[in-house]
Each structure stands twice: as structure tokens, then as C-alpha cells.
Amino acid sequence: MWTQINQAAEEFYSLQLISKGQPNPLKNILNENDLVFILEKLPLDKEETSHVEEPQCEETAISDFSTGENVGPLALPVGRARQLIGLYTMAHNPNMTHLKINQPVTALPPLWVRCDSSDPEGTCWLGAELVTTNHSITGIVLYTVSCKADKNYSVNLEDLKSSHKKRHHLSTVTARGFAQYELFKSTALDDTLAASQTTITLDISWSPVDEILQIPPLSSTATLNIKVESGEPRGPLNHLQRELKFLLVLADGLRTGVTEWPEPLEVKSAVELVQEFLNDLNKLDGFTDSTKKDTETVKHDSAAVDRSIECLFTVRGDLDFAEQLWFKMSGSVISYQDLVKCFTLIIQSLQRGDIQPWLHSESNSLLSKLIHQSYHGAMDSVALSGTVPVKMLLEIGLDKLKKDYISFFIGQELASLNHLEYFITPSVDIQEQVYRVQKLHHILEILVSCMLFIKPQHELLFALTQSCVKYYKQNPLDEQHIFQLPVRPTAVKSLYQSEKPQKWKVEISGGQKKVKTVWQLSDSVPVDHLSFHKPDVSELTLNSSLEERMSFTNLVTCSQVHFK
């Protein structure tokens, strides 16, 4: 029997095995994350598309594949889906002896079939999951999932409970609630600037549930979900992001031998800026005053980039000579020749004793070593050829950014030097140092996004910092990773109690995990193989309530069949 399903699937349908942890199309409805089969329709060839009939349901439409583009998953007619679920059920039923199926039958993962919502109930999924006892198949649970775009939904919690009791012959049931609030989501500022994929959501669950769309009580369980992509255009870290990008350009050039120089931010050339810097130091004849003067200039320049940074991430007031040099060169160097000329000017000034700049004691760059040697009137000879100039600038950039991050984390009392040692150690090769600094920058982006958009208490920021640090000590850089942080509802009540949820769900059960009724309201389409007529997105605001947006309701019901 299962062979018949397989043969049909090979000819007309696509049967995919979704492993645990892989993106699962059922997650938006059932939080399904285990091993499942997904059965869907294969796209027709271009010459066959002209024979495709229009869907009968006026509210929904199957994805249009007549353009020949990647149209995504396609659904089956509800009647055909029921037939395939029936075949799956019979293939596992040990009582179907007349089918001459070899016993015992191996229990397959649950089967879910995409449906086209063409029936009056708007069925969008049919599912079947086996019930086993001691490795023996004893029954099956059949699921029906409906989805409708309905702004004027009407549902009563007691009616849902009564229906579940009647369907499953129960005297008592429990109701568990779940709500998700979208605290922040990036949007494109214009057509030329794509949005960073930054989202911050709050998931809350509780039991019992008193009414539909109940505001979660303070006794709930809450979790912050944070995904931040570096480069948020509304964030205050654009200047640091630019410096990091230039650092990555140098690191790539050092590794590959080819450097893709970015467009300069300065009007003057790098050589002019460095020469002026050296002249100013020479005229002032003292490293203390000259450093103070240039630091003030750096502060002013950075504030001009984004004044909102002043209260959140201030530019350090202790930039040494090498760091100020990095600030000037990172925005003006456009060629390898620029690097050679700039470092030639610097080394010549040191050799002549024109300048005696000060440095932080923990500086590890080759330039720092030469400066320390110049204090004693004897410097090593450096050949400014090959990768040496690129490495010299990369080293001082690494030193500068590490100190920037240290200043923030320690200044905000979010981490100690011991906690940050993995990210700032100079004991690994320079490419690994750059990679770890990237990780540290991403942690900073996460924290700053939270500080700007949800303004959490310090204890939450501290816990989030520790979570991010622990993750990145053990895992590669991943800007798609969702950091989860358990929080007390009392600490975030101001973020959700007066807001409408992005998703609200109630799950009714009578003690059996697989046997449940689920009703869900959401402001986005929870089914990826159906499209609904909805208003122009431009008419909706970022924080529009569920009543103002198009609303989508899902109802999940099930029936259990006992084989033994």
C-alpha cells in the first residue's frame, strides 16, 4: 500500500522528509519540529500550465506558477489529500489483513499533505501521526488544519472546550495559551537600502486560559527571541561597522593578495591627512597636548556621524597615536601605494625624532614596536613591501577596535576582561583575531539593538551578554542565530500589556499529548502555499494592531482511531 503512495508521489507529487531542526512549514501552526513527511504537488511543465483551472475558492488562490518563476510549494485538492491520508492509514492498520501487507509494519514518520483550501472549511493541511505502544502500532491521530482570512472572526473559548470534550469523550480539559509580540522588526528605509534582518520578539505561554485573546498574566513563562543582522541603518554603530568592514577588507587582502579598496570618506588623500597629522604633532612638540587635540577632533567627527551615540556608545577619550592614525587612514586609503607612502612618512618622522607619540602599553602592532624603539633612538629597519604595509594597518585597526569593545562592555558593566579574553587575545593568528572581533561586534550589535528598541533593565542585558559570550566561544559567527533569553513577565510587562500580539493561540487537550484542538489568530499568513487578498502593505504601520491588519485564523482539530 505504501508502495502505491510512493509511486503516486514520484509521478505527481513531491514527498520530502523534514528532519528535526530543519525549517518546518508546520511550525507556525503546531510548533512541529520533529521528523515528518511533507507531501505536495509538483509544478507543471510550462506547456501544461495553460490547462490549469482557476481555484474555486474566492478568498484564496494557489501560488501562480504560470510565470515560470520559482513559485514555492503547491497544494493538492482536499479530496485527493484525503485519499492519500487514507492510504497511509490503511498501510499501517494491522487489521487490514485482506491487503496482504507484511506484518509487523514499520512505523513511518507522520505524513502531512498540503491542501488547497477548496472545501467550505478552508482545509490547508491534513495530517496523520501513528500511535505506538512498545514499538507496536496501536492507532493513528488524524489532523485537520483550516485557515481563513477573516477580520470579523467569532470564536468562544467555552465552545472550543465543549467541542473538544464531545469529540474525544472527555469530562475535563485544560487550556494553554501562547502569545507572541513583535517588539522590533527592521524595515527598508528606501528602495535602495535593504533592511537588515533584525527581529526582536517576545514569546509568552501560560495556563489556564480564561478567554480568547487574554492578556498573558504575570505568572506566565516568557522568552525574548533576538536575531540581529549587523548594519541596522537606524542603529548608532554605523561608524564602527564601517571600521570593521575596512578591517575585513585588509584581512582578505592579506589572505588572498588582492585588496578591494572601498570608496574614501575623506575629501583629502590619505597621504595629505597623515602629513598634516605629523606636522601638527611636530609643531606642538609634545605628545600629551597633541593627542588631546586630535582626540577632540575624533569626538566631534564621530558625533557628526550620529549624535544619538553619545548617550549609548561614546568615542573613547584616550585614543593613542596609532588609533588616531587608524581613524584617518581607514577613511581615506584607496590603494596599496597610499599605504606605502603613509607608513614611509611615519617611519621617517620617527627616525628623525620629529615626533615622540604615546601609545597604550598593551599595543601589540609592529608600528607600536617601532615607536617604542624610537624612544631610545634605535629602530629596526622595515621593508615596506609585500604584505607588510597591509598587515601594519590591520594590526593597529585590530588594537583600536578591541579597545573600543572593551570600553563598552566594561563601561556598561556587562562583562569583565576575563569574560572577553577569548575575543581579544593576541595569542592566535591575525586572521583568527579578526574573526573573533567580528563575533564581538555582533554581540555589541545585539546589545545595542536591545538597548535602543526595548530598553531592558541592566540585569537582562547582563544575562544576554553572558549568553552571547558563551555561545560565540563555542560556535562560529552566525547572524541568523536566534538568541533566546528567559525573562520574568514583570520585567517586560510594559512591552506587551498595552500591545496587540502578532500571534495568539490556545491549545486545548485532555491529557493526551497528540490529541488536541488549537485555535490561532495571527496577523501574517501562517500557510506558505496559499495567498490571500490583503491590503497594500504601504497602508499598514509597523505597530498596527490585529484589528487594523488582515487577520488570519487557524483551527486544528483531530480524531484518534484505535487499531487495537
Side-chain angles (χ1 to χ4, degrees):
M1 186 65 64
W2 182 248
T3 303
Q4 294 179 31
I5 299 176
N6 241 351
Q7 289 174 347
E10 288 177 3
E11 185 175 355
F12 301 108
Y13 311 119
S14 168
L15 185 65
Q16 304 176 53
L17 182 62
I18 307 296
S19 301
K20 187 172 183 178
Q22 289 182 315
N24 193 314
L26 296 163
K27 186 173 179 60
N28 287 334
I29 303 171
L30 290 172
N31 289 331
E32 186 68 55
N33 198 34
D34 291 327
L35 194 70
V36 295
F37 279 116
I38 301 293
L39 186 62
E40 58 193 37
K41 190 175 181 180
L42 283 173
L44 300 181
D45 294 332
K46 288 184 179 181
E47 57 268 20
E48 296 179 274
T49 58
S50 58
H51 303 294
V52 177
E53 297 180 358
E54 291 295 321
Q56 296 177 357
C57 181
E58 293 182 358
E59 288 187 338
T60 62
I62 307 306
S63 302
D64 179 15
F65 47 83
S66 61
T67 60
E69 299 175 355
N70 184 10
V71 295
L74 301 177
L76 281 70
V78 176
R80 183 55 175 154
R82 294 191 191 282
Q83 291 176 348
L84 293 172
I85 290 291
L87 288 174
Y88 176 90
T89 302
M90 288 190 293
H92 289 94
N93 189 343
N95 300 317
M96 295 289 174
T97 55
H98 62 284
L99 297 178
K100 298 180 180 180
I101 299 175
N102 293 331
Q103 300 290 340
V105 176
T106 301
L108 292 170
L111 173 66
W112 285 88
V113 185
R114 294 183 188 272
C115 301
D116 63 4
S117 266
S118 57
D119 61 335
E121 291 77 23
T123 302
C124 57
W125 284 100
L126 288 176
E129 184 171 1
L130 300 172
V131 178
T132 59
T133 304
N134 297 324
H135 305 292
S136 175
I137 301 173
T138 58
I140 193 167
V141 179
L142 302 173
Y143 295 94
T144 300
V145 182
S146 63
C147 179
K148 293 184 178 181
D150 187 3
K151 190 174 182 179
N152 302 312
Y153 56 88
S154 176
V155 66
N156 181 278
L157 180 59
E158 292 305 316
D159 290 343
L160 289 174
K161 288 181 177 179
S162 298
S163 176
H164 188 85
K165 288 179 183 178
K166 184 177 180 180
R167 184 182 298 111
H168 302 289
H169 310 290
L170 299 170
S171 57
T172 60
V173 293
T174 59
R176 183 168 185 81
F178 171 85
Q180 183 177 82
Y181 295 84
E182 186 177 84
L183 306 182
F184 176 78
K185 182 177 182 179
S186 292
T187 55
L189 297 182
D190 55 49
D191 294 337
T192 62
L193 187 62
S196 68
Q197 299 301 309
T198 294
T199 57
I200 304 175
T201 60
L202 178 66
D203 289 349
I204 308 180
S205 59
W206 71 97
S207 184
V209 179
D210 298 329
E211 61 181 347
I212 295 296
L213 295 185
Q214 175 187 356
I215 297 174
L218 296 180
S219 57
S220 305
T221 300
T223 302
L224 276 172
N225 305 295
I226 305 161
K227 184 181 78 168
V228 175
E229 182 178 312
S230 297
E232 166 57 42
R234 283 164 291 186
L237 300 179
N238 287 341
H239 73 294
L240 264 185
Q241 177 69 21
R242 178 189 61 78
E243 291 184 44
L244 179 62
K245 284 184 177 180
F246 187 71
L247 196 77
L248 297 176
V249 167
L250 295 175
D252 287 343
L254 190 63
R255 185 179 67 254
T256 64
V258 179
T259 306
E260 298 289 339
W261 301 101
E263 290 294 320
L265 299 177
E266 302 288 345
V267 176
K268 293 183 179 180
S269 70
V271 176
E272 288 178 297
L273 290 173
V274 170
Q275 184 64 70
E276 289 178 1
F277 181 41
L278 295 174
N279 291 341
D280 289 342
L281 291 178
N282 190 20
K283 289 176 184 176
L284 290 168
D285 192 27
F287 56 82
T288 303
D289 290 339
S290 66
T291 302
K292 181 178 179 182
K293 174 180 180 294
D294 249 37
T295 301
E296 290 172 350
T297 302
V298 171
K299 282 185 177 180
H300 174 75
D301 292 344
S302 296
V305 173
D306 192 335
R307 294 189 182 279
S308 65
I309 201 172
E310 292 177 354
C311 62
L312 185 63
F313 190 94
T314 56
V315 176
R316 289 185 294 114
D318 62 342
L319 298 182
D320 66 12
F321 170 80
E323 291 171 326
Q324 294 174 65
L325 195 65
W326 163 261
F327 188 83
K328 294 180 181 298
M329 294 179 65
S330 63
S332 59
V333 170
I334 59 171
S335 68
Y336 178 81
Q337 289 71 26
D338 277 354
L339 280 184
V340 174
K341 291 176 181 177
C342 288
F343 283 121
T344 298
L345 289 174
I346 295 164
I347 291 174
Q348 288 174 349
S349 293
L350 291 171
Q351 289 172 336
R352 292 193 301 264
D354 294 341
I355 58 173
Q356 285 191 319
W358 76 277
L359 296 170
H360 293 297
S361 59
E362 61 271 22
S363 295
N364 298 293
S365 65
L366 173 57
L367 180 61
S368 299
K369 178 183 176 182
L370 294 175
I371 291 173
H372 284 297
Q373 290 176 350
S374 73
Y375 296 160
H376 307 287
M379 293 171 55
D380 291 342
S381 176
V382 176
L384 294 175
S385 60
T387 60
V388 172
V390 176
K391 187 177 181 182
M392 286 178 69
L393 188 58
L394 177 58
E395 287 174 342
I396 63 176
L398 266 174
D399 279 348
K400 193 264 182 185
L401 287 178
K402 286 179 183 179
K403 291 185 182 70
D404 285 341
Y405 299 136
I406 291 171
S407 176
F408 174 83
F409 285 103
I410 293 180
Q412 296 290 328
E413 299 181 349
L414 296 174
S416 66
L417 276 176
N418 286 337
H419 286 129
L420 300 175
E421 176 63 24
Y422 166 84
F423 302 98
I424 62 177
T425 178
S427 61
V428 295
D429 70 75
I430 197 165
Q431 296 291 345
E432 179 63 21
Q433 289 184 58
V434 172
Y435 187 59
R436 294 185 184 186
V437 162
Q438 273 188 278
K439 292 182 178 183
L440 197 55
H441 181 87
H442 189 223
I443 296 175
L444 179 62
E445 291 264 12
I446 292 168
L447 297 174
V448 168
S449 293
C450 290
M451 293 170 76
L452 279 176
F453 304 123
I454 65 174
K455 299 176 175 59
Q457 298 173 352
H458 182 269
E459 62 176 310
L460 289 182
L461 278 177
F462 182 82
L464 179 59
T465 303
Q466 304 311 305
S467 174
C468 293
V469 166
K470 181 179 179 181
Y471 176 83
Y472 270 139
K473 283 183 177 179
Q474 302 169 351
N475 297 280
L477 178 67
D478 180 9
E479 294 193 355
Q480 299 305 309
H481 179 74
I482 299 175
F483 290 90
Q484 294 187 310
L485 182 67
V487 295
R488 299 191 308 273
T490 52
V492 293
K493 62 181 181 180
S494 62
L495 299 176
Y496 75 87
Q497 284 190 332
S498 61
E499 300 295 329
K500 296 293 183 180
Q502 178 189 22
K503 182 189 298 183
W504 193 97
K505 179 169 67 177
V506 61
E507 183 177 299
I508 300 168
S509 63
Q512 293 179 280
K513 182 180 178 182
K514 295 181 180 181
V515 180
K516 55 192 174 184
T517 296
V518 180
W519 183 87
Q520 175 178 288
L521 177 71
S522 60
D523 63 2
S524 59
V525 183
V527 182
D528 58 0
H529 58 270
L530 300 178
S531 60
F532 293 81
H533 299 291
K534 50 188 177 180
D536 190 343
V537 175
S538 63
E539 300 174 4
L540 304 176
T541 61
L542 181 63
N543 295 315
S544 295
S545 67
L546 289 180
E547 285 79 14
E548 293 169 337
R549 297 184 179 191
M550 175 76 79
S551 296
F552 301 91
T553 59
N554 282 110
L555 180 63
V556 182
T557 58
C558 66
S559 58
Q560 186 170 10
V561 179
H562 298 279
F563 294 154
K564 295 181 181 180

